[in-house]
Amino acid sequence: MDDKLKIVEQLLKKYKQEHLLNFYNEISETEKNILINQILDIDFENICKLYKDSKETKNSSNIEISPLQHIEKNKLSNTEINYYTEIGETIIHNHQIAVVTMAGGQGTRLGYKGPKGTYMLNLKPFKKSLFQIIAENIIETNTKYKTCIPWYIMTSEENNKQTQDFFEINDFFDYPKEKIKFFIQDKLPIIDINGKLILQEPYLIKEASNGNGNVFRAMQKAQILDELRNNGIKWICFGGIDNVLLKNVDPLFLGLTIYNNMKIGSKSIFKKEPLEKTAIYCKKNGKPSILDYDEISLELSERKIRNTNTYLYREANMLSHIMSLDAVYKVKDIELKYHRAFKKNAFVNFEGVKQVPDKPNTFKFENFIFDAFSYFDDMLLLRVNENEEFAPIKDFTGIYNPDTAIEKYNNYKNTNSVKLKK
Ligand code: UTP
């Protein structure tokens, strides 16, 4: 132990993280072991580099931005919709599709204790969790197409146990248990504004999931990709946990992607306000990409196709993607870039007292799934109607809060049941 401690002290000194041993003399032997082993497992070189690089301003002068073509669902005729939908339905009928729900996030903006998927939405007559809403949506597809789609759920070390327990307690929401598989994504230490790692407990360094873009690696690590291939799966639908109107499997979207000979597809919603803080689809140096809101000028946002009313840069990302299994194999080993997010994380202060901040205080480094799309020449982009497909829950006070989500969810369900009765 003494030898290990010496190595750890040297390591921490090298990376100016000596504070991590502040409480070493006060913790138990077991806790000492946990802390020492955790420190030896952390790649300090990498995390310090991520922190340093993220402070440098982005140089976008040599990036050429061009629009990414999109299709508007509203403009498709019924004949077209039926035609493409049938193509997608064949894939579903043939059991060639799987769903991946990315539920490894921290949900710091919502600030709800527990995995975000376990958040109960106050629906009438019964409350429903976000996980239940997703399960019901996939079950609807299963029933319609007489199939049972394999459902993969990405969790993090922080929330995996609670997530799995929640499924057990709720009888897997009537989803066939053997068709659900959980897999855990990678993690990275959280850093404070001075570049210091933080303690979550006197003996534990705070680490959190490293972004939804880790999904490909995590699937590969859990041997899910080979399992999918062996089971004849050809397409994967990727979605998040917090959009209560997400169509997890959409045959039209799938059919359009296949018909257009694309390996990947994303759905977008129209960004109404030019300077709204949402990322939008574009091409960067000719490859499908995303422009962060801080990269978008008013002028770019207002640009239209000449002599038309069609905006070129208003297709907002709504975290609904499909990829062929081949496409996922192509990107599974690629090191996607890291983005820096500023988030609220509780920490143990210098006096050993746990502090829960009321505003963001730490940096989290995250890969984003859409960065993988730049490894393809083109992709399908389908603009859908926000009222039908986009009602996320992000926090309690902004435009995407539980009440707005409930309202949109109820409106959609009511309109749809009226349509079905007709
Ligand atoms: P968000 O960007 O909304 O992040 O994730 P978040 O962590 O859930 O919430 P905040 O930003 O801390 O408030 C979009 C989707 O990506 C998943 C989330 O679970 C959500 O479904 N995600 C995010 C992961 O699966 N892993 C991550 O590391 C981050």
Side-chain angles (χ1 to χ4, degrees), residues 102 104-109 185 209 211-212 240-241 319 343 394:
M102 297 174 291
Q106 286 187 292
T108 56
R109 281 169 289 173
Q185 68 169 113
S209 53
N212 57 35
I241 184 62
L319 196 57
K343 301 203 177 195
K394 292 296 177 191

Side-chain angles (χ1 to χ4, degrees), residues 74-170:
N74 281 349
K75 291 188 178 163
L76 295 175
S77 68
N78 280 343
T79 319
E80 285 172 311
I81 290 186
N82 291 340
Y83 181 75
Y84 300 128
T85 301
E86 268 179 36
I87 298 177
E89 286 179 334
T90 311
I91 299 289
I92 305 173
H93 275 304
N94 291 343
H95 316 289
Q96 290 173 323
I97 197 142
V99 169
V100 172
T101 300
M102 297 174 291
Q106 286 187 292
T108 56
R109 281 169 289 173
L110 192 63
Y112 159 73
K113 245 182 179 295
K116 203 171 181 180
T118 65
Y119 179 75
M120 299 299 289
L121 210 56
N122 210 353
L123 295 168
K124 301 273 181 306
F126 304 111
K127 289 186 174 184
K128 283 182 191 175
S129 66
L130 297 180
F131 278 130
Q132 177 171 353
I133 290 171
I134 295 185
E136 285 179 356
N137 180 260
I138 312 175
I139 288 172
E140 232 175 77
T141 307
N142 287 344
T143 312
K144 182 165 179 189
Y145 297 104
K146 298 187 179 57
T147 181
C148 189
I149 296 170
W151 183 18
Y152 294 87
I153 299 166
M154 181 166 81
T155 62
S156 64
E157 268 185 29
E158 254 182 311
N159 72 17
N160 179 60
K161 179 163 180 350
Q162 274 177 289
T163 302
Q164 294 212 33
D165 288 350
F166 190 73
F167 271 76
E168 287 278 353
I169 293 165
N170 288 286

